[in-house]
Amino acid sequence: MRFEAQRIRAGAFEMYALEAAEKATHHGLNLFSSFERHAVIGAYWPMESELDPRLLMHALARQGYRTCLPVVAKKNSPLTFRLWQVGDPLEEGTFGTQHPPAEAPEVIPNALIVPLLAYDADCYRLGWGGGFYDRTLAAHSEIKAFGFAFGAQIVDHVPREAHDWPLQGVITEEGVILPRKQHVSALQ
């Protein structure tokens, strides 16, 4: 499933990466307008064909939000986050990532913009399988997490395990996808 999801994402990236990032930025700004100004919004430095959140991060910073990037401290541990905005220096990180240097202040974000390979209508995400975002959300359940993806990355069902955390929504160039309602019978 990861290989097929990566192929679809790469095709969407090749066809309309900048246009999709601009449209998704508009939808993301509308979504985050409900957050207090000066809230800390974490995102990711894009790799390969991931939808680029840097336009959104720059727009959020201009509106008074603080932005940060994740740091992979070590395998099988939650992510840590350091303040960062467009133009600040970056260092090479683990797994080909980029992150702020050690002197950048460490923070716990109020919300996260997370990358993904695929997502479903329940807003579960398929990542690379390292579990970093799931461990982070388990350690900080107060963080609101939103995927940032091309609309084409939706699938019928993302396989999930007990440790997988659903997202509060997925920001795409088409709009913000919210989890479909789960119908529970009151007579059970």
Side-chain angles (χ1 to χ4, degrees), residues 126-169:
L126 178 68
W128 285 107
F132 291 104
Y133 283 100
D134 290 319
R135 279 190 292 282
T136 301
L137 295 172
H140 300 285
S141 61
E142 72 278 10
I143 296 174
K144 306 295 183 214
F146 299 91
F148 199 68
F150 296 100
Q153 290 178 253
I154 194 165
V155 296
D156 290 334
H157 178 77
V158 169
R160 50 192 82 135
E161 298 177 33
H163 64 269
D164 291 329
W165 285 73
L167 302 167
Q168 272 73 35

mmCIF file of all heavy atoms in Angstrom, residues 126-169:
data_model
loop_
_atom_site.group_PDB
_atom_site.id
_atom_site.type_symbol
_atom_site.label_atom_id
_atom_site.label_comp_id
_atom_site.label_asym_id
_atom_site.label_seq_id
_atom_site.Cartn_x
_atom_site.Cartn_y
_atom_site.Cartn_z
ATOM 1 N N LEU A 126 -1.585 7.068 6.611
ATOM 2 C CA LEU A 126 -0.542 6.087 6.352
ATOM 3 C C LEU A 126 0.745 6.872 6.195
ATOM 4 O O LEU A 126 0.850 7.744 5.336
ATOM 5 C CB LEU A 126 -0.842 5.303 5.065
ATOM 6 C CG LEU A 126 0.202 4.263 4.662
ATOM 7 C CD1 LEU A 126 0.209 3.106 5.660
ATOM 8 C CD2 LEU A 126 -0.074 3.758 3.252
ATOM 9 N N GLY A 127 1.680 6.630 7.082
ATOM 10 C CA GLY A 127 2.996 7.271 7.003
ATOM 11 C C GLY A 127 4.014 6.243 6.551
ATOM 12 O O GLY A 127 3.669 5.238 5.943
ATOM 13 N N TRP A 128 5.272 6.490 6.893
ATOM 14 C CA TRP A 128 6.337 5.577 6.499
ATOM 15 C C TRP A 128 6.493 4.404 7.461
ATOM 16 O O TRP A 128 7.321 3.527 7.257
ATOM 17 C CB TRP A 128 7.664 6.329 6.384
ATOM 18 C CG TRP A 128 7.705 7.165 5.143
ATOM 19 C CD1 TRP A 128 7.605 8.519 5.065
ATOM 20 C CD2 TRP A 128 7.827 6.693 3.807
ATOM 21 N NE1 TRP A 128 7.656 8.928 3.750
ATOM 22 C CE2 TRP A 128 7.803 7.817 2.957
ATOM 23 C CE3 TRP A 128 7.958 5.431 3.236
ATOM 24 C CZ2 TRP A 128 7.895 7.714 1.566
ATOM 25 C CZ3 TRP A 128 8.056 5.340 1.850
ATOM 26 C CH2 TRP A 128 8.020 6.469 1.040
ATOM 27 N N GLY A 129 5.748 4.378 8.549
ATOM 28 C CA GLY A 129 5.788 3.254 9.469
ATOM 29 C C GLY A 129 6.737 3.418 10.630
ATOM 30 O O GLY A 129 6.898 2.500 11.434
ATOM 31 N N GLY A 130 7.358 4.568 10.775
ATOM 32 C CA GLY A 130 8.278 4.802 11.893
ATOM 33 C C GLY A 130 7.560 5.086 13.206
ATOM 34 O O GLY A 130 8.149 4.939 14.278
ATOM 35 N N GLY A 131 6.308 5.518 13.155
ATOM 36 C CA GLY A 131 5.523 5.750 14.361
ATOM 37 C C GLY A 131 5.844 7.023 15.118
ATOM 38 O O GLY A 131 5.351 7.222 16.228
ATOM 39 N N PHE A 132 6.641 7.906 14.544
ATOM 40 C CA PHE A 132 7.050 9.113 15.276
ATOM 41 C C PHE A 132 5.866 10.008 15.629
ATOM 42 O O PHE A 132 5.757 10.492 16.752
ATOM 43 C CB PHE A 132 8.086 9.917 14.478
ATOM 44 C CG PHE A 132 9.418 9.220 14.389
ATOM 45 C CD1 PHE A 132 9.804 8.584 13.231
ATOM 46 C CD2 PHE A 132 10.270 9.209 15.483
ATOM 47 C CE1 PHE A 132 11.030 7.937 13.151
ATOM 48 C CE2 PHE A 132 11.498 8.568 15.424
ATOM 49 C CZ PHE A 132 11.873 7.932 14.253
ATOM 50 N N TYR A 133 4.968 10.236 14.672
ATOM 51 C CA TYR A 133 3.821 11.106 14.960
ATOM 52 C C TYR A 133 2.858 10.432 15.937
ATOM 53 O O TYR A 133 2.312 11.093 16.820
ATOM 54 C CB TYR A 133 3.122 11.533 13.671
ATOM 55 C CG TYR A 133 3.893 12.623 12.961
ATOM 56 C CD1 TYR A 133 4.712 12.330 11.876
ATOM 57 C CD2 TYR A 133 3.827 13.946 13.393
ATOM 58 C CE1 TYR A 133 5.436 13.320 11.231
ATOM 59 C CE2 TYR A 133 4.548 14.945 12.755
ATOM 60 C CZ TYR A 133 5.353 14.627 11.683
ATOM 61 O OH TYR A 133 6.062 15.624 11.063
ATOM 62 N N ASP A 134 2.641 9.136 15.811
ATOM 63 C CA ASP A 134 1.757 8.441 16.756
ATOM 64 C C ASP A 134 2.316 8.505 18.178
ATOM 65 O O ASP A 134 1.580 8.749 19.124
ATOM 66 C CB ASP A 134 1.551 6.979 16.327
ATOM 67 C CG ASP A 134 0.701 6.870 15.073
ATOM 68 O OD1 ASP A 134 -0.293 7.608 14.960
ATOM 69 O OD2 ASP A 134 1.039 6.046 14.199
ATOM 70 N N ARG A 135 3.624 8.291 18.342
ATOM 71 C CA ARG A 135 4.221 8.382 19.680
ATOM 72 C C ARG A 135 4.136 9.812 20.220
ATOM 73 O O ARG A 135 3.909 10.031 21.404
ATOM 74 C CB ARG A 135 5.676 7.907 19.648
ATOM 75 C CG ARG A 135 5.810 6.392 19.684
ATOM 76 C CD ARG A 135 7.257 5.963 19.890
ATOM 77 N NE ARG A 135 8.103 6.274 18.758
ATOM 78 C CZ ARG A 135 8.149 5.565 17.632
ATOM 79 N NH1 ARG A 135 7.392 4.494 17.507
ATOM 80 N NH2 ARG A 135 8.961 5.928 16.651
ATOM 81 N N THR A 136 4.291 10.790 19.335
ATOM 82 C CA THR A 136 4.196 12.190 19.758
ATOM 83 C C THR A 136 2.792 12.509 20.242
ATOM 84 O O THR A 136 2.611 13.132 21.291
ATOM 85 C CB THR A 136 4.590 13.123 18.588
ATOM 86 O OG1 THR A 136 5.931 12.802 18.191
ATOM 87 C CG2 THR A 136 4.485 14.582 18.992
ATOM 88 N N LEU A 137 1.785 12.077 19.495
ATOM 89 C CA LEU A 137 0.395 12.342 19.884
ATOM 90 C C LEU A 137 0.009 11.554 21.134
ATOM 91 O O LEU A 137 -0.779 12.040 21.953
ATOM 92 C CB LEU A 137 -0.548 12.048 18.724
ATOM 93 C CG LEU A 137 -0.355 12.974 17.516
ATOM 94 C CD1 LEU A 137 -1.186 12.500 16.340
ATOM 95 C CD2 LEU A 137 -0.663 14.413 17.878
ATOM 96 N N ALA A 138 0.557 10.376 21.315
ATOM 97 C CA ALA A 138 0.295 9.614 22.544
ATOM 98 C C ALA A 138 0.892 10.336 23.749
ATOM 99 O O ALA A 138 0.301 10.365 24.825
ATOM 100 C CB ALA A 138 0.870 8.201 22.423
ATOM 101 N N ALA A 139 2.059 10.950 23.572
ATOM 102 C CA ALA A 139 2.714 11.670 24.668
ATOM 103 C C ALA A 139 2.078 13.036 24.918
ATOM 104 O O ALA A 139 2.177 13.567 26.028
ATOM 105 C CB ALA A 139 4.204 11.844 24.360
ATOM 106 N N HIS A 140 1.432 13.609 23.897
ATOM 107 C CA HIS A 140 0.840 14.956 23.992
ATOM 108 C C HIS A 140 -0.537 14.938 23.341
ATOM 109 O O HIS A 140 -0.737 15.538 22.276
ATOM 110 C CB HIS A 140 1.728 15.991 23.299
ATOM 111 C CG HIS A 140 3.095 16.095 23.869
ATOM 112 N ND1 HIS A 140 3.349 16.718 25.072
ATOM 113 C CD2 HIS A 140 4.289 15.646 23.407
ATOM 114 C CE1 HIS A 140 4.644 16.656 25.321
ATOM 115 N NE2 HIS A 140 5.229 15.999 24.343
ATOM 116 N N SER A 141 -1.485 14.280 23.964
ATOM 117 C CA SER A 141 -2.818 14.134 23.363
ATOM 118 C C SER A 141 -3.551 15.460 23.198
ATOM 119 O O SER A 141 -4.560 15.529 22.503
ATOM 120 C CB SER A 141 -3.662 13.148 24.169
ATOM 121 O OG SER A 141 -3.838 13.627 25.485
ATOM 122 N N GLU A 142 -3.039 16.526 23.806
ATOM 123 C CA GLU A 142 -3.671 17.842 23.652
ATOM 124 C C GLU A 142 -3.358 18.484 22.300
ATOM 125 O O GLU A 142 -4.026 19.438 21.883
ATOM 126 C CB GLU A 142 -3.220 18.786 24.781
ATOM 127 C CG GLU A 142 -1.789 19.289 24.692
ATOM 128 C CD GLU A 142 -0.711 18.334 25.218
ATOM 129 O OE1 GLU A 142 -1.010 17.158 25.498
ATOM 130 O OE2 GLU A 142 0.449 18.772 25.333
ATOM 131 N N ILE A 143 -2.381 17.976 21.586
ATOM 132 C CA ILE A 143 -2.014 18.530 20.284
ATOM 133 C C ILE A 143 -3.068 18.140 19.252
ATOM 134 O O ILE A 143 -3.447 16.973 19.144
ATOM 135 C CB ILE A 143 -0.635 18.024 19.825
ATOM 136 C CG1 ILE A 143 0.466 18.495 20.774
ATOM 137 C CG2 ILE A 143 -0.336 18.484 18.401
ATOM 138 C CD1 ILE A 143 1.842 17.913 20.463
ATOM 139 N N LYS A 144 -3.531 19.106 18.487
ATOM 140 C CA LYS A 144 -4.462 18.859 17.383
ATOM 141 C C LYS A 144 -3.620 18.610 16.137
ATOM 142 O O LYS A 144 -2.788 19.432 15.768
ATOM 143 C CB LYS A 144 -5.380 20.058 17.145
ATOM 144 C CG LYS A 144 -6.135 20.519 18.368
ATOM 145 C CD LYS A 144 -7.106 19.480 18.832
ATOM 146 C CE LYS A 144 -7.909 19.985 20.010
ATOM 147 N NZ LYS A 144 -8.241 18.952 20.939
ATOM 148 N N ALA A 145 -3.828 17.484 15.486
ATOM 149 C CA ALA A 145 -3.007 17.115 14.329
ATOM 150 C C ALA A 145 -3.847 17.076 13.056
ATOM 151 O O ALA A 145 -4.939 16.490 13.034
ATOM 152 C CB ALA A 145 -2.345 15.756 14.558
ATOM 153 N N PHE A 146 -3.319 17.709 12.008
ATOM 154 C CA PHE A 146 -3.989 17.773 10.717
ATOM 155 C C PHE A 146 -3.026 17.317 9.642
ATOM 156 O O PHE A 146 -1.877 17.760 9.589
ATOM 157 C CB PHE A 146 -4.431 19.213 10.415
ATOM 158 C CG PHE A 146 -5.397 19.758 11.418
ATOM 159 C CD1 PHE A 146 -4.941 20.440 12.537
ATOM 160 C CD2 PHE A 146 -6.758 19.570 11.264
ATOM 161 C CE1 PHE A 146 -5.818 20.936 13.483
ATOM 162 C CE2 PHE A 146 -7.650 20.061 12.199
ATOM 163 C CZ PHE A 146 -7.183 20.747 13.317
ATOM 164 N N GLY A 147 -3.500 16.449 8.762
ATOM 165 C CA GLY A 147 -2.690 16.043 7.631
ATOM 166 C C GLY A 147 -2.611 17.170 6.614
ATOM 167 O O GLY A 147 -3.464 18.067 6.594
ATOM 168 N N PHE A 148 -1.606 17.125 5.767
ATOM 169 C CA PHE A 148 -1.427 18.102 4.688
ATOM 170 C C PHE A 148 -1.105 17.279 3.464
ATOM 171 O O PHE A 148 -0.021 16.666 3.380
ATOM 172 C CB PHE A 148 -0.299 19.073 5.046
ATOM 173 C CG PHE A 148 -0.319 20.353 4.266
ATOM 174 C CD1 PHE A 148 -1.332 21.278 4.438
ATOM 175 C CD2 PHE A 148 0.690 20.646 3.367
ATOM 176 C CE1 PHE A 148 -1.348 22.476 3.729
ATOM 177 C CE2 PHE A 148 0.694 21.837 2.650
ATOM 178 C CZ PHE A 148 -0.328 22.759 2.830
ATOM 179 N N ALA A 149 -2.045 17.200 2.519
ATOM 180 C CA ALA A 149 -1.906 16.224 1.440
ATOM 181 C C ALA A 149 -2.671 16.656 0.194
ATOM 182 O O ALA A 149 -3.544 17.522 0.250
ATOM 183 C CB ALA A 149 -2.435 14.866 1.916
ATOM 184 N N PHE A 150 -2.365 16.017 -0.891
ATOM 185 C CA PHE A 150 -3.134 16.178 -2.114
ATOM 186 C C PHE A 150 -4.459 15.437 -1.944
ATOM 187 O O PHE A 150 -4.507 14.369 -1.325
ATOM 188 C CB PHE A 150 -2.378 15.580 -3.306
ATOM 189 C CG PHE A 150 -1.084 16.265 -3.622
ATOM 190 C CD1 PHE A 150 0.127 15.735 -3.198
ATOM 191 C CD2 PHE A 150 -1.076 17.449 -4.343
ATOM 192 C CE1 PHE A 150 1.324 16.358 -3.497
ATOM 193 C CE2 PHE A 150 0.125 18.085 -4.649
ATOM 194 C CZ PHE A 150 1.328 17.542 -4.220
ATOM 195 N N GLY A 151 -5.526 15.978 -2.516
ATOM 196 C CA GLY A 151 -6.818 15.297 -2.464
ATOM 197 C C GLY A 151 -6.734 13.894 -3.038
ATOM 198 O O GLY A 151 -7.432 12.985 -2.587
ATOM 199 N N ALA A 152 -5.871 13.679 -4.022
ATOM 200 C CA ALA A 152 -5.726 12.375 -4.674
ATOM 201 C C ALA A 152 -5.171 11.304 -3.747
ATOM 202 O O ALA A 152 -5.215 10.119 -4.075
ATOM 203 C CB ALA A 152 -4.823 12.506 -5.904
ATOM 204 N N GLN A 153 -4.684 11.690 -2.581
ATOM 205 C CA GLN A 153 -4.077 10.710 -1.669
ATOM 206 C C GLN A 153 -5.098 9.966 -0.814
ATOM 207 O O GLN A 153 -4.723 9.094 -0.033
ATOM 208 C CB GLN A 153 -3.048 11.406 -0.768
ATOM 209 C CG GLN A 153 -1.807 11.858 -1.523
ATOM 210 C CD GLN A 153 -0.838 12.584 -0.621
ATOM 211 O OE1 GLN A 153 -0.703 13.803 -0.703
ATOM 212 N NE2 GLN A 153 -0.160 11.839 0.242
ATOM 213 N N ILE A 154 -6.379 10.257 -0.965
ATOM 214 C CA ILE A 154 -7.389 9.547 -0.174
ATOM 215 C C ILE A 154 -7.527 8.112 -0.682
ATOM 216 O O ILE A 154 -7.438 7.851 -1.881
ATOM 217 C CB ILE A 154 -8.747 10.286 -0.188
ATOM 218 C CG1 ILE A 154 -9.667 9.723 0.896
ATOM 219 C CG2 ILE A 154 -9.379 10.261 -1.578
ATOM 220 C CD1 ILE A 154 -10.870 10.578 1.216
ATOM 221 N N VAL A 155 -7.706 7.184 0.257
ATOM 222 C CA VAL A 155 -7.922 5.770 -0.052
ATOM 223 C C VAL A 155 -9.173 5.309 0.690
ATOM 224 O O VAL A 155 -9.666 5.996 1.594
ATOM 225 C CB VAL A 155 -6.703 4.899 0.340
ATOM 226 C CG1 VAL A 155 -5.473 5.286 -0.476
ATOM 227 C CG2 VAL A 155 -6.406 4.984 1.825
ATOM 228 N N ASP A 156 -9.674 4.132 0.336
ATOM 229 C CA ASP A 156 -10.880 3.616 0.986
ATOM 230 C C ASP A 156 -10.673 3.351 2.469
ATOM 231 O O ASP A 156 -11.531 3.655 3.289
ATOM 232 C CB ASP A 156 -11.361 2.327 0.307
ATOM 233 C CG ASP A 156 -11.922 2.593 -1.080
ATOM 234 O OD1 ASP A 156 -12.393 3.725 -1.344
ATOM 235 O OD2 ASP A 156 -11.878 1.666 -1.920
ATOM 236 N N HIS A 157 -9.531 2.766 2.804
ATOM 237 C CA HIS A 157 -9.284 2.400 4.204
ATOM 238 C C HIS A 157 -7.779 2.326 4.464
ATOM 239 O O HIS A 157 -7.063 1.649 3.728
ATOM 240 C CB HIS A 157 -9.932 1.044 4.516
ATOM 241 C CG HIS A 157 -9.682 0.574 5.909
ATOM 242 N ND1 HIS A 157 -10.351 1.079 7.003
ATOM 243 C CD2 HIS A 157 -8.821 -0.347 6.399
ATOM 244 C CE1 HIS A 157 -9.915 0.485 8.096
ATOM 245 N NE2 HIS A 157 -8.993 -0.387 7.756
ATOM 246 N N VAL A 158 -7.334 3.011 5.496
ATOM 247 C CA VAL A 158 -5.950 2.911 5.929
ATOM 248 C C VAL A 158 -5.886 1.834 7.011
ATOM 249 O O VAL A 158 -6.627 1.916 8.005
ATOM 250 C CB VAL A 158 -5.438 4.258 6.492
ATOM 251 C CG1 VAL A 158 -4.094 4.082 7.179
ATOM 252 C CG2 VAL A 158 -5.334 5.293 5.382
ATOM 253 N N PRO A 159 -5.051 0.809 6.832
ATOM 254 C CA PRO A 159 -4.909 -0.195 7.891
ATOM 255 C C PRO A 159 -4.474 0.491 9.176
ATOM 256 O O PRO A 159 -3.672 1.426 9.153
ATOM 257 C CB PRO A 159 -3.807 -1.122 7.375
ATOM 258 C CG PRO A 159 -3.738 -0.865 5.910
ATOM 259 C CD PRO A 159 -4.168 0.552 5.701
ATOM 260 N N ARG A 160 -5.033 0.065 10.294
ATOM 261 C CA ARG A 160 -4.679 0.712 11.565
ATOM 262 C C ARG A 160 -4.493 -0.320 12.657
ATOM 263 O O ARG A 160 -5.065 -1.396 12.622
ATOM 264 C CB ARG A 160 -5.716 1.743 11.953
ATOM 265 C CG ARG A 160 -7.146 1.262 11.917
ATOM 266 C CD ARG A 160 -8.138 2.405 12.032
ATOM 267 N NE ARG A 160 -8.356 3.062 10.767
ATOM 268 C CZ ARG A 160 -9.540 3.405 10.291
ATOM 269 N NH1 ARG A 160 -10.613 3.185 10.988
ATOM 270 N NH2 ARG A 160 -9.662 3.987 9.144
ATOM 271 N N GLU A 161 -3.670 0.094 13.593
ATOM 272 C CA GLU A 161 -3.398 -0.732 14.761
ATOM 273 C C GLU A 161 -3.779 0.065 15.998
ATOM 274 O O GLU A 161 -4.070 1.265 15.912
ATOM 275 C CB GLU A 161 -1.922 -1.132 14.789
ATOM 276 C CG GLU A 161 -1.528 -1.974 13.582
ATOM 277 C CD GLU A 161 -0.056 -2.318 13.564
ATOM 278 O OE1 GLU A 161 0.533 -2.492 14.648
ATOM 279 O OE2 GLU A 161 0.505 -2.399 12.462
ATOM 280 N N ALA A 162 -3.735 -0.551 17.161
ATOM 281 C CA ALA A 162 -4.180 0.098 18.404
ATOM 282 C C ALA A 162 -3.405 1.374 18.714
ATOM 283 O O ALA A 162 -3.942 2.299 19.309
ATOM 284 C CB ALA A 162 -4.063 -0.890 19.571
ATOM 285 N N HIS A 163 -2.139 1.472 18.291
ATOM 286 C CA HIS A 163 -1.330 2.643 18.614
ATOM 287 C C HIS A 163 -1.501 3.794 17.611
ATOM 288 O O HIS A 163 -0.953 4.874 17.817
ATOM 289 C CB HIS A 163 0.162 2.254 18.693
ATOM 290 C CG HIS A 163 0.715 1.774 17.391
ATOM 291 N ND1 HIS A 163 0.696 0.455 17.043
ATOM 292 C CD2 HIS A 163 1.264 2.449 16.351
ATOM 293 C CE1 HIS A 163 1.233 0.319 15.843
ATOM 294 N NE2 HIS A 163 1.580 1.522 15.393
ATOM 295 N N ASP A 164 -2.271 3.591 16.531
ATOM 296 C CA ASP A 164 -2.455 4.627 15.515
ATOM 297 C C ASP A 164 -3.455 5.680 15.979
ATOM 298 O O ASP A 164 -4.515 5.351 16.509
ATOM 299 C CB ASP A 164 -2.935 4.018 14.195
ATOM 300 C CG ASP A 164 -1.877 3.175 13.526
ATOM 301 O OD1 ASP A 164 -0.677 3.484 13.693
ATOM 302 O OD2 ASP A 164 -2.244 2.203 12.839
ATOM 303 N N TRP A 165 -3.120 6.937 15.758
ATOM 304 C CA TRP A 165 -3.961 8.069 16.149
ATOM 305 C C TRP A 165 -4.614 8.670 14.906
ATOM 306 O O TRP A 165 -3.916 8.965 13.936
ATOM 307 C CB TRP A 165 -3.125 9.145 16.840
ATOM 308 C CG TRP A 165 -2.755 8.784 18.229
ATOM 309 C CD1 TRP A 165 -1.839 7.859 18.637
ATOM 310 C CD2 TRP A 165 -3.310 9.331 19.422
ATOM 311 N NE1 TRP A 165 -1.776 7.812 19.994
ATOM 312 C CE2 TRP A 165 -2.667 8.709 20.509
ATOM 313 C CE3 TRP A 165 -4.272 10.308 19.681
ATOM 314 C CZ2 TRP A 165 -2.977 9.016 21.827
ATOM 315 C CZ3 TRP A 165 -4.571 10.616 20.988
ATOM 316 C CH2 TRP A 165 -3.931 9.965 22.043
ATOM 317 N N PRO A 166 -5.936 8.907 14.956
ATOM 318 C CA PRO A 166 -6.558 9.600 13.835
ATOM 319 C C PRO A 166 -6.215 11.093 13.878
ATOM 320 O O PRO A 166 -5.909 11.643 14.937
ATOM 321 C CB PRO A 166 -8.054 9.376 14.071
ATOM 322 C CG PRO A 166 -8.172 9.241 15.549
ATOM 323 C CD PRO A 166 -6.896 8.560 16.003
ATOM 324 N N LEU A 167 -6.267 11.722 12.735
ATOM 325 C CA LEU A 167 -6.058 13.161 12.634
ATOM 326 C C LEU A 167 -7.392 13.880 12.884
ATOM 327 O O LEU A 167 -8.459 13.303 12.715
ATOM 328 C CB LEU A 167 -5.540 13.508 11.236
ATOM 329 C CG LEU A 167 -4.237 12.825 10.819
ATOM 330 C CD1 LEU A 167 -3.992 12.991 9.324
ATOM 331 C CD2 LEU A 167 -3.081 13.376 11.626
ATOM 332 N N GLN A 168 -7.321 15.163 13.259
ATOM 333 C CA GLN A 168 -8.536 15.957 13.412
ATOM 334 C C GLN A 168 -9.087 16.369 12.051
ATOM 335 O O GLN A 168 -10.228 16.794 11.945
ATOM 336 C CB GLN A 168 -8.271 17.218 14.245
ATOM 337 C CG GLN A 168 -8.438 17.016 15.742
ATOM 338 C CD GLN A 168 -7.304 16.203 16.350
ATOM 339 O OE1 GLN A 168 -6.166 16.315 15.920
ATOM 340 N NE2 GLN A 168 -7.619 15.390 17.330
ATOM 341 N N GLY A 169 -8.282 16.242 11.016
ATOM 342 C CA GLY A 169 -8.697 16.576 9.665
ATOM 343 C C GLY A 169 -7.502 16.494 8.740
ATOM 344 O O GLY A 169 -6.375 16.289 9.180
#
